[in-house]
Structure formats: C-alpha cells, structure tokens
Amino acid sequence: MRCHGRLGRSRGGVFAAVLALAAGVLTASAATAPPAAALTPPVGFTADNLATYQTNGIVWSLAEANGVVYAGGTFSNVRPPGSPAGSNTTSAVNFAAFDAATGAPTGCSLSFTRSSGTATVRALAVSPDKSTLYAGGYFSAVNGTTANGLVAINTATCTLRPGFAPSFGATVRALDVAANGTVYAGGDFQSVNGQTRRFFGAVTAAGALTAWNPDADDPGRTLKVTPDGQSVLIGGDFVTVGGANSHALAVTSAGTGALTRAYTNSFIPSSAVIKDIVTDTASGGWYVGGEGVGGASFDGRLAMDLTTFDQRWRDTCQGATQALRVYRGVLYAGSHVHDCSTMGGFPNQVRKHLTAQSVDDPAMLGWLPDTNDGIGEPVGPRALTVSSRGGHDFLWVGGEFTTVNGVAQQALTRFADSPDTGAPSAPVVSLSAPRAGAVRVSWRASLDLDDSRLTYRVYRNGGTTPVHTTTGSSLFFSRPQLTFTDTDVVAGSSYAYRITASDGTNTSALSANVSVIASGSASPYAERVLADGADLYWRYDEAGGAFASDASDNADGGVYMNAPPYRSAPSAVTGSAALALNGTDEYVYSDRLHHYTSPTPYSIETWFRTGTTRGGRIVGYGSNIGTAQGHTSGISDKILYLTDNGRLAFGVQVGSSSSRPTITSAASYNDNVWHHAVATQGPSGMRLYVDGVQAGANTTTGNRSYNGYWRVGGDAMATAWPNRPTSTYFAGQVDETAVYPSALTAAQVAAHHDLADTPSGPGDTTVTLTPTEDAYVNGVAANTAYNDTQLASRGTTPYLGYLRFTLPAAPAGQKLKSARLTFRTSSDSTAGSADSHTLVPVTGAWTESAVTYNTRPSLAATVLGTISGATAVSTDYSVELNAPALGGALGSAYSLALTSSGTDSLRIWSSEVATAAYRPQLVLTFGAE
C-alpha cells in the first residue's frame, strides 16, 4: 500500500483562505445576512447516501451510459442494500450494471472469468456516442466466449460486439475512447495483438492495433484523451516515456504516442505514482490524482491547463488519491486524506475518504460524506462516475469500503443532487454575563456534511421568535465560535437560550437549554485581561459539552477533549469556575489554526493548581490536536510546563534546531495552591512570572515559525526539553487561560495577579452544596431501595429520584438571588433523555437507605425547574431553579424529587459516585437585598 506522501510546498492562497475562514467568517453578523441554502455552492451533491445494491468484493472501475452505471471489479455477487454479506445474493462475476436512479441491477449480466488465476475487471470506458462499453482487465472469457483483456459490449443489448477481439499480454488497468473510435489502454501488458507495446497501446474500433506507442518503462494506471482529440494524457508508475524522462505523468501525441510534454525535475516525486486523470472542457483543465510514499511524495491532486499543459494548482494533502470526477465546477475525489497541514488545513487525523474542491481553488469545500478503508489494500474508494436519470444527477462511488456514513454498505454507494435530508448538528452553547446589562451567547459552529454555510437562530426564555439570526461557515476541521450579545437584560434576572442551525432545508434540534443570571457589574480581573489585549481567553465556566468559549472579541473558541470535569471548585478568580484535568488524556485545544512567525511577540497566561509529582504540560503551542499515536504534535514550542519536582518551566524551540532555551523557576509550585503564571517573549527576550513576580529571564527572542494550535492540559514533548516531566499531560486545575499578541509588562502581570481576589460589584456570595442524601425508586421493583451511584426519572414505567440538601441561612444583608442544580448524566447507554423532567418539592418523609416505590414520599405540585435537552450520556447539564420558592426554606433540610411523565428515562450520577466532580450540586447565589 502506498501512503502518504507530503510535498514540502505551501499553497499560499489555500492557507490564506483557511485562515480567513477560521479568523473572521463566523463572528456574529447582522440579522439581515442572507440565509443559508441547502448544498452550499458550488457543491452539487448531498452527503446523504442513497440505497444502492452492493457487491461482495472490490469495485475497481465505474462507467455510465444512458442512465445505467456499470461496475467492474473483483467480486462474485451483488445483494440489496441492508443485506449482510452472503444473504439475498445474485450472481455477478466481476461485472454488474445498475439503474443510476434506483441503485438496482438492470438485468445486464456478463461473467468475466479465467481458466486459472483470479479474473478481474479493472477498467471501463464508454464510446462518445454511448453505444459501446469497453471493459478491460485480467480475464480470458466473457460468458464463455474467449477474450483476452479487452472486450466491447453493446450497451443496448448487453452483448459482446462480434469481431472485436484484441489480445493484451497482461492486465488492462486504464481505458479511454476517442471521438474517432480509437480505444486507448494502459496497464501491465507489454504486447498487444502479438506486437510490442510496453504498458500503453491502442486499437481501432475494429480491434486492430494502431501506431500509438508511448513506450513507457513501467505500468500505466490511467489515461485520458484530451477534448480536442490531439493528445493523450497518461499516468502511472513509469519513469521514462519513449526513452525520455517524465516520471508518472506525460502528454503524448494521440496519433503516434510520441512524448509532447514531459514532467521532469521531480514534478511528480520518484516515490509517487499517478492513479487517475480526468478532463473538464468547461474549466479548460485536466486533473490528476497521486499516491505516494514518504514525507516528500505526492498524495493529492493537481489542476493542469488543457492548453499549456502547465500546473494551475497543487493540493499537497496526504492520503493516496485514487479517483476523480468533475461535476459543475467541482472536483470530487476518492482518497483516504488524513493530513492537509501543508495546505493550511487539518493536521494528521482520522482518514476521510470523499472530498470536494473547486476546479479553481484547492481549498476543501464543505462536502464530506465518508466511507471506511475497507478490504484489500485497503484505501477506501477506487472509482467515481456521474450519471443522469429521471431528472436527477447521481455521483456513484465504488471501491474497497464496507461502510458508508457509518452504516454497513460494501463497495458501491451513490449520492444525488437532491433532496438534501441531513440536518446540521445542534449548536453547543456557552453563556456568560461579562458586564452589567449584557449576556454573551457564544456557540460552536455546527457541522453539516454538505452545507458549510448555515443559518443560526437564537431563542430566549422558551420563545418561538428568534432574538437574533446570523449565518456562518464551518468545515469539519474548523468550527469557529459565533457570538451574540444580548443587551435587553436586567441585572439579577435569569435568562435561558437555545439555538438552531439550518441549511435552508433542514433544521437541527434545539441546543441544550442553558441559562445564566444577568450580572450587575463586570469582573475586574476579566476586564483587565481584555483591556490588555488578550486574543484568546478561556474562562472555563461551561457546565458541560465540548465547547470552550473565548471571552475575547477574537472568537477563538476551544474544544474540550475527553469530557474533563467542568466547573471545578475552588476557582482561582472570584466569580469564575475552574477546569479539572486528569493528567492522562483530558485537554483543551483551539479550534483555529494559527500561524506564528518568529520573532512575533506573545504572552501566555494561566492559573494552575496541583499536587502532582509527575509534572505536565500546562499550556503550549503544537502542530496537532489529537492524543492518538501519530495525532499528537510533531512540532511543539512556546510551552509552559511543570517539572516532576513542581518547578515551573517556560521554553521555546529556536527554528528547527535542537536548541530549546528554557527558563525554570527556583521554587516548586505543586503545593495544591493556586498560582498565577505568565510567560512572555518579545524584543527583550523571554520572561517567566509566577504570582505577579518575575521568576526568570533570558535574552532569546526567536522561536519556531509554523502553523499550529494552542493547547491546554497536555501534548507530546520531545525528550530534548530540559527536565522533561514524566507525564506530558497535566493533572490538576487550570483557570483563566489567555494568550496575547504582545509581551505583557511586569506591571501588567502584577496587576492581573492582584485583581484575582477582587469581587464583582458589591460582592455576591455563592454557596455550592452536595446532597446529604439521595436515592431513587422503581415502580417495577416496588419494595426495593436503590441507594447506589445513579438517580433515575421516568413516567412509565415509573422511576423517581430524590435529593436532600441542607440549605444555609442567607448571609447578613443578602437574599437568595438564584439557584441552579448541576448534574452529569451517567455512562449508562440509556442515561440521556429526550423527555422533559421536572424538579418538585418533597413534602413527605424519606431516607436514602429505606425509601422504596411503595413507601415513596408525597410531593408538592410546585415546579421548581424543568430539565430538557439532556440527551447525551456522560455529559454535564444544569437547570435553573425557582429561587423565591427555595428562599423560604433557607436554614433547613430541603428535599427535591426528580420526576417525569414521559417514557424515556433520565439517569444521572448520585452523591455516591466515586468521582466528586460528577456528583449533583446545588449552587446558590446570594446578593444584596
């Protein structure tokens, strides 16, 4: 298997386009922004795969004529969609024909066989008038009639054309048919009709050998006649054509095969081969797909000019491109692309198998259905074709895959120009009340596999009319933050928000209901951080979900990985929550690709608290975003880390050298106390500050220039880092992480440190309580007491959950302003619920050790709060409670019941769960009367 070359070039236009998407496209726009439309132009096919027959082996080639799609490969039968392998099969030996619009067989049945060895059909091509289908491969008979590598099939009758009997010495892998009927072939053969033709040859429509003889030195994989009929574009493994150097790609005369344009000087690296070539008259281009090996190879796509035969653009993504097709200005590709970092795209990640890009621009478009790698080598898709029938156009895909969009489907699938039935993912929302008279609603852009531009509608307090509408663009690897600031709020009042995403045809589910209390004043600490220019500021105040909002105006949101415990206490800064990290695999990364050019100044700021003796990387910059092998950062610098003995270190890598200048504190800070850390680098060198005071400095002004991502909590670290910690992931708490495009001064650092304990406004008091008792009852086991690690709620068959809290009295001069119950759904597969669940007061007596369904306590009719949208397992949620109703019970023990009238159960962790951060909490906020 050949995989995954990388050319050491950067396409500036692509990089700039991706950075523009990440940096600015998705900030909230006016409500008058044009709405999204299903299938964001120029994408022409939906990502919704249609029901299609499948084969039991590999499909190597596809062709179409008159609304029929032909598939050639290595297989023995076909079966309906949804049928497991071996069931409901119909014999189809290496060849099948399908109705393009229904995906069902047409009845055209031809068996391609050999007397010995494994027969296969590797190439299909249709004559310009659609009357003849040519099939090439490795076979010696078709329906029992002798054949040798190439046959002609009447498309009207599905019969072999008499008299056409060329003989190829080995496998035919590529075919195309000229307007004059000449059939051009490429493959493993070195003779045609008994005469020497090394790897490329051509026959007339009658099967007679022509003079066309490129005389390559290694196999041909693909070829295409130019629209003017004057040239044949060839690709493959070869190094020379006609004795002249032109590795893997060449332009030849359609008459003689003479080399008319060579590609030398490693235009295609020696470690790569060319797997497919297509032409497109409308764009005046031809397009090339490559498959390479190693770090200096070619795995992506080329756009070439049909007039000059020069390169227009080059896609340097890695992932072995196998098949191409142009449809209405879009180049669709089958590959297993996994790394587009050289293009300003995503770093090495899980493979994607179907992609699209404009014929004028290699930047990836928002079309991303997917297959798996499948069987064989395996590399996923192997062939693409477009066919029209019944007023619709269909993109057919064949290959080695065994799943499509996560569902079992082997070797064949198809997509249509309409209808678009896939809805975007629901937005993930974060709320904050940054200052008086404002609630900031931020959300991570949703994902739709065929619509990159979506319309978002923000609803407040259960309303059905949006208070804000905006549009934004996103791709699977770049889902930037959008923000709406609601200024129609009253301090001290609670506001809840939900958001939908629409592609113009399909609308997502409402986001989970999230609420916040509007503040009467701003956080002095946060205001100073923003005033000093932070362009990434994560406060970690989310109650759950994968989205870490950026409090700056730069909308540089983050992604929580592996569900770290949210709203950890105590926090470093008054009025804010903290984030706990396990030191193993939990971290946060920026969803935006950044580019740093040395010696651009910057500052890193964060609070941390830990008792670890294994060290860990707290904040750093790296070239990747994952944790799996091969998906961590191969390049890292600008790192703030803790050594095993608790000392704080700040280091950079100078260029691509092994030099890693690092400042290390003299004191240790693994004392389970909050510490303030700031690392700066600018014209005067590097500075490290701890708790407002400089802890070290050097004169290094340079670092490494590269594209990368900010990460908090861990990443790879080379052994060359001084005092490299045992664990490269940080175990402890972090809070208030910020990155600045300048080197903060000592005075600024000291001011930030001193403001951490300054409360907002007149000084609200927040109290967080865990249950003193909790349990649930089950109507099916009516005499059983359930005092374990979970609580449950359901109407039918019934579950009821109970929680008891000891409520404190209000502080002097204050009253209860707000109350919120936070909880985490359990890991049970049925933990999430689509139903609503209510919290009501318990008026009867109960104890967690004895309560059963038959002895359950009586309940009040008052609804204290309603849980809705808690649909995911192992996820944190919160619900605002009726503060006035709780206010009358202050200073006493108070019980709540979790109830429902629906049939979908909700399961949450109880106070008995081992992980403290998973336990339910009642958060009470008191303020001035």
Side-chain angles (χ1 to χ4, degrees):
M1 173 176 163
R2 298 175 182 266
C3 191
H4 313 291
R6 179 195 303 221
L7 275 177
R9 323 183 174 190
S10 174
R11 304 300 301 171
V14 180
F15 177 72
V18 174
L19 284 191
L21 169 69
V25 173
L26 283 182
T27 52
S29 56
T32 56
L39 300 186
T40 302
V43 169
F45 295 106
T46 79
D48 309 316
N49 57 297
L50 303 174
T52 307
Y53 263 65
Q54 48 194 323
T55 71
N56 68 336
I58 300 170
V59 171
W60 293 104
S61 183
L62 294 171
E64 72 83 31
N66 310 313
V68 175
V69 171
Y70 302 94
T74 310
F75 51 86
S76 60
N77 62 58
V78 298
R79 64 186 188 274
S83 292
S87 63
N88 302 314
T89 61
T90 301
S91 178
V93 182
N94 301 318
F95 176 85
F98 304 91
D99 185 304
T102 67
T106 63
C108 175
S109 178
L110 297 170
S111 294
F112 288 72
T113 58
R114 286 189 61 81
S115 56
S116 63
T118 302
T120 185
V121 174
R122 288 298 183 108
L124 296 170
V126 176
S127 62
D129 65 1
K130 306 290 187 180
S131 66
T132 304
L133 170 69
Y134 294 91
Y138 183 63
F139 49 84
S140 58
V142 179
N143 280 11
T145 299
T146 299
N148 201 349
L150 179 65
V151 295
I153 302 163
N154 186 311
T155 57
T157 63
C158 189
T159 57
L160 296 184
R161 201 175 73 205
F164 184 84
S167 176
F168 284 78
T171 304
V172 174
R173 296 181 180 273
L175 291 172
D176 198 23
V177 187
N180 65 5
T182 300
V183 182
Y184 295 88
D188 300 343
F189 55 86
Q190 298 194 50
S191 67
V192 180
N193 290 355
Q195 298 189 42
T196 299
R197 289 293 186 271
R198 295 201 302 165
F199 308 112
F200 290 96
V203 296
T204 67
L209 184 66
T210 75
W212 188 71
N213 184 14
D215 190 31
D217 64 342
D218 264 321
R221 303 274 189 161
T222 182
L223 55 80
K224 194 69 178 176
V225 181
T226 57
D228 63 8
Q230 299 301 302
S231 301
V232 180
L233 314 167
I234 63 172
D237 298 21
F238 51 83
V239 176
T240 63
V241 176
N245 179 57
S246 189
H247 171 59
L249 187 67
V251 182
T252 67
S253 163
T256 66
L259 182 67
T260 59
R261 173 63 184 270
Y263 295 95
T264 58
N265 300 319
S266 296
F267 182 81
I268 303 297
S270 60
S271 55
V273 300
I274 297 304
K275 300 302 291 287
D276 201 11
I277 298 172
V278 296
T279 60
D280 178 49
T281 302
S283 63
W286 53 293
Y287 304 90
V288 178
E291 177 185 275
V293 178
S297 198
F298 172 60
D299 259 4
R301 272 78 65 190
L302 298 176
M304 310 290 287
D305 189 274
L306 274 171
T307 301
T308 65
F309 299 114
D310 292 338
Q311 176 181 300
R312 294 202 320 238
W313 53 254
R314 181 180 290 245
D315 174 330
T316 59
C317 292
Q318 296 183 67
T321 303
Q322 303 295 314
L324 302 171
R325 191 64 59 190
V326 175
Y327 173 78
R328 295 186 179 179
V330 174
L331 178 65
Y332 295 89
S335 69
H336 53 255
V337 60
H338 57 91
D339 187 349
C340 288
S341 55
T342 58
M343 297 279 291
F346 57 93
N348 190 30
Q349 291 296 296
V350 175
R351 293 174 169 188
K352 307 292 182 182
H353 298 85
L354 292 168
T355 59
Q357 54 206 147
S358 167
V359 294
D360 298 319
D361 187 340
M364 187 176 289
L365 298 174
W367 185 79
L368 210 79
D370 203 14
T371 71
N372 65 353
D373 288 343
I375 60 177
E377 288 194 14
V379 297
R382 287 284 191 175
L384 303 174
T385 196
V386 175
S387 185
S388 300
R389 194 173 186 114
H392 288 283
D393 295 336
F394 301 89
L395 174 68
W396 279 68
V397 181
E400 297 174 279
F401 52 87
T402 57
T403 67
V404 179
N405 287 340
V407 177
Q409 173 71 21
Q410 186 171 0
L412 282 170
T413 191
R414 63 200 173 98
F415 305 90
D417 54 6
S418 66
D420 180 10
T421 60
S425 62
V428 180
V429 182
S430 176
L431 300 182
S432 62
R435 54 187 59 89
V439 168
R440 183 180 171 96
V441 185
S442 300
W443 65 98
R444 190 184 187 204
S446 295
L447 181 63
D448 189 303
L449 296 182
D450 49 31
D451 300 288
S452 57
R453 186 169 180 81
L454 301 172
T455 297
Y456 298 90
R457 295 178 175 87
V458 181
Y459 300 89
R460 185 176 70 180
N461 292 341
T464 57
T465 301
V467 295
H468 181 71
T469 301
T470 190
T471 58
S473 297
S474 63
L475 298 170
F476 83 93
F477 61 91
S478 180
R479 295 172 58 186
Q481 173 177 316
L482 290 88
T483 298
F484 159 61
T485 300
D486 189 355
T487 57
D488 185 20
V489 297
V490 176
S493 296
S494 177
Y495 295 89
Y497 298 85
R498 304 184 80 176
I499 303 176
T500 61
S502 173
D503 62 16
T505 298
N506 310 287
T507 299
S508 73
L510 282 162
S511 63
N513 196 52
V514 185
S515 59
V516 70
I517 303 295
S519 177
S521 59
S523 161
Y525 180 89
E527 290 291 282
R528 185 60 184 266
V529 168
L530 295 172
D532 285 341
D535 58 7
L536 181 156
Y537 183 19
W538 296 339
R539 305 203 68 195
Y540 309 118
D541 287 343
E542 286 75 26
F547 171 55
S549 67
D550 178 15
S552 83
D553 290 333
N554 202 32
D556 196 353
V559 180
Y560 291 113
M561 293 299 294
N562 299 313
Y566 306 92
R567 288 187 172 173
S568 176
S571 63
V573 173
T574 298
S576 177
L579 180 71
L581 298 165
N582 64 5
T584 303
D585 62 357
E586 294 172 350
Y587 63 101
V588 192
Y589 73 86
S590 171
D591 195 49
R592 179 180 302 174
L593 181 69
H594 300 75
H595 180 73
Y596 278 86
T597 302
S598 177
T600 301
Y602 63 92
S603 298
I604 305 167
E605 178 177 38
T606 197
W607 290 78
F608 70 95
R609 177 176 180 262
T610 185
T612 184
T613 57
R614 291 170 52 81
R617 175 172 160 155
I618 305 173
V619 184
Y621 185 70
S623 61
N624 212 325
I625 58 177
T627 53
Q629 185 176 3
H631 298 168
T632 52
S633 293
I635 305 172
S636 291
D637 83 329
K638 309 173 187 66
I639 301 177
L640 190 64
Y641 64 98
L642 207 66
T643 65
D644 285 355
N645 61 3
R647 295 183 178 186
L648 191 64
F650 166 44
V652 299
Q653 182 178 7
V654 178
S656 58
S657 72
S658 59
S659 176
R660 287 174 169 81
T662 302
I663 303 167
T664 304
S665 69
S668 296
Y669 299 101
N670 55 343
D671 53 4
N672 282 314
V673 173
W674 278 110
H675 294 285
H676 179 235
V678 177
T680 72
Q681 189 177 25
S684 62
M686 298 168 63
R687 301 287 185 270
L688 175 64
Y689 301 88
V690 184
D691 295 334
V693 178
Q694 183 171 302
N698 66 35
T699 59
T700 304
T701 60
N703 51 66
R704 188 157 184 178
S705 303
Y706 63 102
N707 302 330
Y709 305 82
W710 286 106
R711 291 175 53 139
V712 175
D715 195 5
M717 290 181 66
T719 56
W721 285 102
N723 299 307
R724 180 183 181 272
T726 300
S727 171
T728 60
Y729 284 78
F730 176 71
Q733 292 170 285
V734 291
D735 199 4
E736 307 292 325
T737 302
V739 177
Y740 302 78
S742 63
L744 294 177
T745 66
Q748 288 174 311
V749 172
H752 291 197
H753 176 259
D754 293 344
L755 284 169
D757 295 328
T758 305
S760 302
D764 289 351
T765 302
T766 300
V767 177
T768 301
L769 309 171
T770 54
T772 57
E773 291 187 278
D774 54 16
Y776 78 97
V777 299
N778 181 355
V780 174
N783 292 311
T784 302
Y786 291 88
N787 177 25
D788 56 27
T789 59
Q790 295 189 63
L791 303 177
S793 170
R794 185 171 63 197
T796 306
T797 52
Y799 293 139
L800 292 93
Y802 305 101
L803 304 98
R804 178 176 288 120
F805 297 92
T806 300
L807 304 183
Q814 293 188 328
K815 67 176 182 180
L816 184 64
K817 292 173 58 178
S818 67
R820 181 179 71 250
L821 180 72
T822 66
F823 60 92
R824 185 181 182 94
T825 51
S826 77
S827 58
D828 190 290
S829 61
T830 64
S833 176
D835 290 340
S836 294
H837 298 259
T838 58
L839 288 154
V840 300
V842 176
T843 57
W846 66 281
T847 62
E848 66 178 11
S849 61
V851 65
T852 67
Y853 186 78
N854 281 343
T855 64
R856 66 190 184 278
S858 57
L859 309 178
T862 305
V863 175
L864 299 172
T866 301
I867 298 168
S868 59
T871 56
V873 303
S874 300
T875 301
D876 291 285
Y877 294 97
S878 67
V879 57
E880 292 296 323
L881 302 181
N882 185 329
L886 288 178
L890 293 175
S892 66
Y894 190 80
S895 295
L896 310 175
L898 182 59
T899 71
S900 176
S901 60
T903 58
D904 191 5
S905 62
L906 174 70
R907 292 181 177 272
I908 69 174
W909 294 119
S910 75
S911 61
E912 276 72 37
V913 70
T915 304
Y918 295 177
R919 297 167 187 168
Q921 292 184 331
L922 182 62
V923 183
L924 306 178
T925 301
F926 299 91
E929 292 182 330

